[in-house]
Amino acid sequence: MIDILYFAWVRERIGLPKERVETSAPTVMALVEELRAREERYAAAFADLASLRVALDQELSSFDAPLAGVREVAFFPPMTGG
């Protein structure tokens, strides 16, 4: 089981702030593909990965990063300072 957190417009498109899913995805990208295949709202949220960032266990990461041992994945748009 893995916890997935959604922030900002990602949360708005999916309609959930977080969820726990069972996955055998080896990488973040494989997890994204699983989520996209679920429903249209996930496909819409993950349509443009260039506008998304990902963190694994609260560390910025990449979409090709492995998920082995990861407990939490967070998806969010790029942040700006202010």
Side-chain angles (χ1 to χ4, degrees), residues 5 19 27 29 31 39 42-43 50 53 56-57 70:
L5 308 176
E19 64 182 318
T27 64
M29 192 63 219
L31 174 63
E39 297 176 35
Y42 291 93
R53 299 294 177 264
L56 303 180
D57 292 332
V70 171

Side-chain angles (χ1 to χ4, degrees), residues 6-69:
Y6 306 108
F7 293 94
W9 57 261
V10 183
R11 174 177 48 208
E12 291 171 11
R13 289 182 187 170
I14 292 174
L16 298 170
K18 65 181 178 179
E19 64 182 318
R20 178 170 274 192
V21 299
E22 189 168 334
T23 182
S24 58
T27 64
V28 174
M29 192 63 219
L31 174 63
V32 167
E33 291 301 330
E34 283 182 10
L35 293 171
R36 280 179 174 160
R38 281 178 149 189
E39 297 176 35
E40 180 56 36
R41 61 188 173 139
Y42 291 93
F46 294 107
D48 180 15
L49 296 185
S51 64
L52 277 177
R53 299 294 177 264
V54 63
L56 303 180
D57 292 332
Q58 301 183 7
E59 295 281 334
L60 282 176
S61 193
S62 65
F63 284 89
D64 60 352
L67 288 177

